[in-house]
Amino acid sequence: MKRSMKFNHLLPMFLHLFLFSSCFTFGQTIESPPTRVPVLDMDGDPVHKNRLYYILSVNGTVDEGGLRYISYKYCKYQIIQEKLGTPNGHFWVFSNLADHTTIDLSNDISIGVGNLYTVCSKEPVWIVEQNGYVDGDVSYGHNADDTKFKIEKDDKGDGYRIVHCGNSNGCKNVGVVIEKNGRRRIALTESPLVVKFKKFGDFSS
């Protein structure tokens, strides 16, 4: 009888502790992992890393073709925008720094000059030079941040913009600078070059 009375006396205390613990647990905010949004190619498929793609202008006017590279030193390339005639330009390969098979919005990526590993000791990648131009280089002697880019959705349409966020000054758009000889060089600019991505070859195999 005394044990029963003692238990009844302790019951309100146990109930209070249970309710306090439940409120604390349910009140906690459980953070969900960030949502991944893949970059899509012109067919509506996710862009995959280590596959080849053309980078084309969304505008597609007579002066705005795809991106290509031209050699001006051993394994060092200027990246330019092609004019009408060969609108696709050359193909490129994307690599991300995360363990994902697809390229997602806002992820750090590198952009390689596709299939030049047979010529150079390592694959040339996009690098921001001190003058603001974006070249293809094997990255020796460069800071790792010089090779980091992101792909963002363009706010004004269905295309994408490529940005460089490798320093403390925030992100800068990758766009086009027209030189005196008419060459359209790829560089960091105020206005972005709005682009889309087209598969090179057949991915089904």
Side-chain angles (χ1 to χ4, degrees), residues 68-87:
R68 66 182 293 258
Y69 52 83
I70 54 175
S71 176
Y72 69 98
K73 290 182 181 179
Y74 175 70
C75 287
K76 193 171 180 66
Y77 304 86
Q78 290 181 355
I79 301 174
I80 66 171
Q81 185 181 26
E82 190 64 270
K83 294 185 178 181
L84 190 65
T86 52

Side-chain angles (χ1 to χ4, degrees), residues 5-25:
M5 292 178 62
K6 187 175 181 180
F7 178 78
N8 290 337
H9 177 72
L10 294 176
L11 185 60
M13 182 178 68
F14 288 137
L15 182 61
H16 177 76
L17 289 174
F18 173 76
L19 292 174
F20 177 79
S21 175
S22 299
C23 291
F24 179 77
T25 302

